[in-house]
Amino acid sequence: MSGAHAHIEAADEHGVAHAVERLASGGLVGLPTETVYGLAADADDADAVARIFAAKGRPADHPLIVHVASAEAAAAWASPWPDAARRLAEAFWPGPMTLIVRAAAHVLASVTGGQDTVGLRVPSHPVAQAVLRAMATAKGRAVGLAAPSANRFGHVSPTTAEHVRSEFPDLDLLVLDGGASAVGVESTIIDVSTEAVRVLRPGRIRRDDIAAVLGSLPLEAGADAPRVSGSLATHYAPRTPSVLMAGEHLKRQLRAFRQAKAAQPRRCVITHSFTVESEGTLHGIRLDADAKAWEHELYALLRRLDAERYAQLLIEAPPATAEWDAVTDRLRRATHGQSLDAAAERPSTP
Ligand code: TXA
Ligand code: MG
């Protein structure tokens, strides 16, 4: 593989044509979507799909989402296409929602992770749409792009083309530059494969949005839910040890740091309800108390702070309302298992 590398191309007509050539010959493409960037391959090409798993270091039994151009196209990957899927698709596609349905017979087992269901999404990003359309024209039939988030297994998802390149610098990969992802966290995953509609991963489409369409609140992910790799406890994790704390607890902790006699490690504090003045080894960042702004900023911020090599990140817990479900979910995973003391003991060099 010497000489192979990821490179970024503008998502103009030429870039899209290059991407389609690669996909049609079994290659991988870094694909911008409105949620996060995907690592895309032709979902009908078993060798290409295997390349995704190899590149990500992802276990083979973790299923991939198939991206298609329209709800009609999605229905062709499902059997049956349930009424709940039809209604949710009409309300939220193209957009940041993935539906889990029973898979049609032609869906590759490597895409479904060997389960009898498949995840389907119609992205709204114009570049993703352009690639899907151009590929359908090139192949003379409807196509699906299998695409997990374009990060190494367990790491935070990429929201810019540069993030994708930095995840896979030595992979033969064309990354289309579609700008910063507008939503910034992964799609809401809704399982409609059984009567009991269930949210497997919270995202920009909230539980109340779903209730407004279906007439009742969906269930939340439970122990018996199908496998979602993002539901592993340490998924979506930054490299820097991180803790999540309620505002009042965080304020007390900051007072203790400031009064401590011993030299303190470099820490970064991210808040929404109060401002932390940067001082000495402590750096404060305040984001607006707005769930959508946090969704948009979070992954890019965690990547930037990783590069700045703090000994620890302290993050103020979001309000406990449905609006913040996606942010709270990702922050819990990003900080899982980090006790304050253990994290603070770690040296700041890698
Ligand atoms: O916003 C998104 O969903 C992004 C963009 C690229 O579309 N994709 C994404 O893919 O986040 P990935 O693979 O990183 O996360 C998809 C999640 C995984 O946790 C996977 O286990 C779950 O969807 N999933 C896929 N198919 C499934 C199925 N049949 N049953 C249960 N979970 C499934
Ligand atoms: Mg992912």
Side-chain angles (χ1 to χ4, degrees):
M1 283 277 282
S2 78
H5 67 286
H7 75 282
I8 297 175
E9 275 190 41
D12 55 16
E13 217 176 303
H14 297 291
V16 169
H18 290 157
V20 169
E21 273 167 36
R22 282 189 171 239
L23 291 165
S25 59
L28 302 183
V29 165
L31 185 74
T33 89
E34 70 279 20
T35 56
V36 300
Y37 275 65
L39 186 65
D42 182 344
D44 291 315
D45 182 335
D47 293 333
V49 170
R51 270 180 210 114
I52 294 179
F53 285 88
K56 283 195 57 131
R58 181 175 178 140
D61 61 350
H62 286 248
L64 303 178
I65 294 173
V66 178
H67 299 71
V68 292
S70 65
E72 296 70 55
W77 291 75
S79 179
W81 184 241
D83 190 54
R86 186 183 57 72
R87 290 158 68 190
L88 290 168
E90 201 174 295
F92 302 122
W93 276 348
M97 173 183 75
T98 295
L99 293 177
I100 306 295
V101 292
R102 291 197 173 269
H106 66 87
V107 187
L108 292 177
S110 52
V111 168
T112 64
Q115 306 188 60
D116 59 1
T117 55
V118 63
L120 300 169
R121 182 159 102 78
V122 178
S124 65
H125 197 296
V127 174
Q129 282 283 339
V131 170
L132 283 164
R133 276 196 309 272
M135 208 180 149
T137 306
K139 295 206 118 185
R141 58 169 170 78
V143 294
L145 290 177
S149 53
N151 52 276
R152 295 200 182 259
F153 186 65
H155 198 210
V156 293
S157 294
T159 55
T160 68
E162 187 49 47
H163 293 164
V164 179
R165 178 164 63 184
S166 71
E167 289 283 329
F168 304 105
D170 303 323
L171 187 68
D172 183 14
L173 182 69
L174 186 170
V175 186
L176 286 178
D177 189 351
S181 295
V183 174
V185 294
E186 306 82 354
S187 59
T188 306
I189 301 182
I190 312 171
D191 184 355
V192 292
S193 68
T194 63
E195 282 297 305
V197 174
R198 197 187 285 272
V199 173
L200 300 184
R201 179 176 70 185
R204 178 62 62 85
I205 308 294
R206 319 288 189 209
R207 295 177 76 231
D208 336 353
D209 300 328
I210 299 166
V213 172
L214 297 183
S216 60
L217 271 176
L219 303 174
E220 286 175 278
D224 60 334
R227 201 163 33 228
V228 179
S229 68
S231 67
L232 293 178
T234 56
H235 234 71
Y236 310 114
R239 313 267 189 233
T240 312
S242 307
V243 291
L244 190 60
M245 300 169 88
E248 288 312 309
H249 184 190
L250 181 53
K251 284 181 189 166
R252 276 199 300 280
Q253 188 62 62
L254 293 174
R255 276 196 293 277
F257 289 155
R258 289 196 158 109
Q259 286 161 6
K261 294 274 188 297
Q264 293 295 302
R266 290 177 64 240
R267 296 188 178 97
C268 183
V269 189
I270 310 166
T271 58
H272 60 81
S273 74
F274 62 101
T275 301
V276 176
E277 299 298 339
S278 297
E279 174 193 352
T281 57
L282 195 66
H283 183 65
I285 295 177
R286 183 174 181 174
L287 299 181
D288 287 345
D290 169 356
K292 290 180 181 172
W294 274 67
E295 287 170 356
H296 182 69
E297 297 296 316
L298 183 65
Y299 286 151
L301 180 62
L302 291 178
R303 278 173 188 273
R304 178 162 70 76
L305 297 180
D306 268 350
E308 292 177 10
R309 303 208 180 287
Y310 289 97
Q312 185 183 41
L313 311 182
L314 298 111
I315 309 173
E316 183 185 4
T321 58
E323 193 64 14
W324 289 86
D325 275 355
V327 172
T328 301
D329 173 74
R330 302 315 187 275
L331 287 176
R332 285 207 180 121
R333 296 178 202 293
T335 58
H336 182 85
Q338 303 288 354
S339 97
L340 186 63
D341 299 333
E345 300 295 286
R346 274 203 17 181
S348 56
T349 47

